[in-house]
C-alpha cells in the first residue's frame, strides 16, 4: 500500500515528488508515456527562475527527478491504464499490475492539440509533427521551406528554432496579431527567415497520395481566398489538450476536460489532488505547474496526517 502515488513527471509531478519525499511519504511517481513531460520537448527555458542564462528543458527535468530521488521518491516508468476512485484506498492498474494508494496526486499534464484537417493524421511523422526540438533537425527538413501553425509562445518558439534548419519558416496564424508574449512575438517577427501568413488557416496537408508533405492548402479567413503553399514540413503548435481521459466520470471536469479544483489542489474526491496543466488552462507555465505540485504535496501530507489521527 502506497501513501502517495503521483501520476506524471513534469514540473508539477516532480515538484510534488520532492515535497512528499521530503515529508518521508516515499511517493511512487509514475512517468506515463512521456517522462519529464512536455518541457523535455522544449529547447531553452528562459523564464524558470534561478537560471539567468536559461536552461535546457530536458536538463531541468532530469535535475528535478534526481532531486526527488535523493529524498526517497520512487520514480517508475509506467502508464496508468485504469483508476478506481470510488473508495479509499484508491486502486490503479499500472501496466497490468494493481497498485493501491491512500492518496493520489494527478499531474498528468497535457498533450498537443491537432488541427483536425485532411492529411494531418495520415502524414504524421512523414512531415507533420508537433515538436520542432524533437524533429526539426531531420534531414527531410534541411534547407526546405517549413510551416509552423499557431500564434502563441509555442509557435514562436518552434518557428525560431526551425530557422536553424529551414530555408524559410512560414508562420500561419488565424488572426493578424500573435497571442505570444511580447518578447517572443517581437523576436519572432524580427527574424528575417520567418514569414508570417496572417488571417489564414490550414485546410489540408498535402499530399497524402505521395505519402509525404509537399505543402499545405490555406484559406484566408477574411477574404475566403485559397492557395497552396509548398513546404516539406508542418509543425503544429496550436495549444494543448489535458491528459485526463482516464478520470472521466470519476472527477469533475470543465467542458474542455480540465479537472476542476475545489479548495487548494483538492478535487471532488477526498484524498485525490491535482496539479499542473491537467487542471490549469490559464497560466500553463513551468513555474506555475511546479507551484501547484508543491501545493498538492502539502495538501496530501495534511490529508494523511488528519486522516490517520
Ligand atoms: P496557446 O497560448 O493556447 O496558443 C495557441 C495558438 O494556436 C493561438 O494563437 C491560437 O489562436 C492558435 N490555435 C488554437 N487552435 C487553433 C486551430 N484549431 N487552428 C489554428 N490555430 C489555432 O498555446 P501555446 O502557444 O502552446 O502556449 C501554451 C502555454 O504555454 C501558454 O501559457 C504559453 O505562455 C506557455 N509557453 C511558454 C513558453 C515560454 O515562455 N518560453 C513557451 C511555450 C509555451 P488564437 O490566438 O486565435 O487563439
Amino acid at each position: 500500500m502506497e501513501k502517495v502515488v503521483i501520476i506524471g513527471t513534469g514540473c508539477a509531478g516532480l515538484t510534488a515528488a520532492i515535497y512528499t519525499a521530503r515529508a518521508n511519504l516515499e511517493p511512487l511517481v509514475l512517468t506515463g508515456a512521456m517522462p519529464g513531460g512536455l518541457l523535455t520537448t522544449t529547447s531553452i527555458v528562459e523564464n524558470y527562475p534561478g537560471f539567468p542564462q536559461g536552461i535546457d528543458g530536458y536538463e531541468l527535468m532530469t535535475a528535478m527527478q534526481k532531486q526527488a530521488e535523493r529524498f526517497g521518491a520512487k520514480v517508475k516508468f509506467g502508464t496508468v491504464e485504469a483508476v478506481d476512485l470510488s473508495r479509499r484506498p484508491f486502486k490503479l492498474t499500472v501496466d497490468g499490475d494493481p497498485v493501491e494508494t491512500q492518496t493520489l496526486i494527478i499531474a498528468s499534464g497535457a498533450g498537443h492539440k491537432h488541427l483536425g484537417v485532411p492529411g494531418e493524421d495520415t502524414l504524421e511523422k512523414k512531415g507533420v509533427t508537433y515538436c520542432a526540438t524533437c524533429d526539426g533537425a531531420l534531414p527531410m527538413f534541411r534547407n526546405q521551406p517549413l510551416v509552423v501553425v499557431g500564434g502563441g509562445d509555442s509557435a514562436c518558439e518552434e518557428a525560431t528554432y526551425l530557422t536553424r534548419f529551414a530555408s524559410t519558416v512560414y508562420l500561419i496564424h488565424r488572426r493578424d496579431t500573435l497571442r505570444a508574449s511580447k518578447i517572443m512575438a517581437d523576436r519572432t517577427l524580427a527574424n528575417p527567415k520567418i514569414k508570417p501568413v496572417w488571417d489564414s488557416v490550414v485546410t489540408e496537408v498535402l499530399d497524402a497520395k505521395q505519402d509525404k508533405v509537399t505543402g499545405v492548402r490555406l484559406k484566408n479567413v477574411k477574404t475566403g481566398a485559397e492557395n497552396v503553399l509548398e513546404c516539406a514540413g508542418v509543425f503544429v503548435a496550436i495549444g494543448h489538450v489535458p491528459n485526463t481521459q482516464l478520470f472521466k466520470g470519476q472527477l469533475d471536469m470543465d467542458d474542455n476536460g480540465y479537472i476542476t479544483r475545489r479548495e487548494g489542489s483538492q478535487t471532488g474526491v477526498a484524498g485525490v489532488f491535482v496539479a499542473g496543466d491537467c487542471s490549469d488552462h490559464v497560466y500553463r507555465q513551468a513555474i506555475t505547474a511546479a507551484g501547484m505540485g508543491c501545493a498538492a504535496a502539502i495538501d496530501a501530507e495534511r490529508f494523511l496526517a488528519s486522516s490517520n489521527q
Side-chain angles (χ1 to χ4, degrees), residues 42 44-47 113-116 149-157 172-175 177-181 184 200-202 237-240 277 281-285:
T42 294
I44 197 91
V45 184
E46 288 185 331
N47 51 10
K113 192 170 150 187
H114 289 211
L115 288 166
V149 190
D153 281 328
S154 297
C156 289
E157 199 173 64
I172 317 290
H173 184 35
R174 62 185 179 184
R175 294 185 295 120
T177 45
L178 295 176
R179 170 180 299 280
S181 54
M184 299 275 272
S200 297
V201 290
V202 172
I238 59 167
H240 300 96
D277 285 6
H281 58 88
V282 180
Y283 303 108
R284 299 175 297 174
Q285 305 297 303

Side-chain angles (χ1 to χ4, degrees), residues 47-288:
N47 51 10
Y48 200 87
F51 301 95
Q53 303 307 321
I55 181 166
D56 177 80
Y58 183 81
E59 209 180 310
L60 178 63
M61 299 321 296
T62 308
M64 275 193 205
Q65 180 171 333
K66 279 191 186 147
Q67 194 177 350
E69 285 173 333
R70 182 157 83 88
F71 295 110
K74 301 169 286 180
V75 180
K76 189 177 158 194
F77 185 81
T79 302
V80 183
E81 294 154 343
V83 290
D84 178 359
L85 307 179
S86 58
R87 64 178 67 87
R88 285 181 68 223
F90 306 120
K91 292 184 177 56
L92 279 62
T93 309
V94 183
D95 292 333
D97 295 327
V99 172
E100 287 196 343
T101 183
Q102 291 174 32
T103 62
L104 180 65
I105 296 177
I106 301 169
S108 51
H112 297 289
K113 192 170 150 187
H114 289 211
L115 288 166
V117 300
E120 182 186 22
D121 289 347
T122 329
L123 295 173
E124 189 170 345
K125 296 193 169 70
K126 294 170 182 165
V128 174
T129 146
Y130 300 85
C131 176
T133 342
C134 320
D135 302 327
L138 290 174
M140 65 178 169
F141 299 133
R142 299 260 169 165
N143 299 315
Q144 299 291 324
L146 301 176
V147 153
V148 173
V149 190
D153 281 328
S154 297
C156 289
E157 199 173 64
E158 304 269 284
T160 306
Y161 182 77
L162 289 171
T163 57
R164 299 179 194 192
F165 315 106
S167 55
T168 306
V169 178
Y170 294 99
L171 182 61
I172 317 290
H173 184 35
R174 62 185 179 184
R175 294 185 295 120
D176 62 2
T177 45
L178 295 176
R179 170 180 299 280
S181 54
K182 191 160 167 23
I183 187 167
M184 299 275 272
D186 289 350
R187 196 185 290 168
T188 305
L189 296 177
N191 191 318
K193 266 190 155 183
I194 298 175
K195 302 216 179 317
V197 181
W198 303 116
D199 300 316
S200 297
V201 290
V202 172
T203 55
E204 184 179 357
V205 181
L206 304 167
D207 181 8
K209 278 195 196 122
Q210 293 185 52
D211 208 29
K212 64 173 186 179
V213 170
T214 60
V216 285
R217 197 180 298 284
L218 295 178
K219 184 176 175 186
N220 185 300
V221 291
K222 284 191 175 154
T223 64
E226 288 192 351
N227 69 304
V228 169
L229 179 64
E230 283 181 14
C231 64
V234 178
F235 291 75
V236 182
I238 59 167
H240 300 96
V241 276
N243 296 326
T244 54
Q245 277 295 116
L246 199 58
F247 312 102
K248 278 227 158 96
Q250 301 194 63
L251 294 176
D252 294 339
M253 294 177 192
D254 70 11
D255 292 344
N256 296 317
Y258 290 90
I259 298 171
T260 41
R261 293 184 303 275
R262 303 207 172 173
E263 208 184 322
S265 66
Q266 290 178 51
T267 66
V269 175
V272 178
F273 307 90
V274 71
D277 285 6
C278 64
S279 85
D280 170 31
H281 58 88
V282 180
Y283 303 108
R284 299 175 297 174
Q285 305 297 303
I287 188 66
T288 50

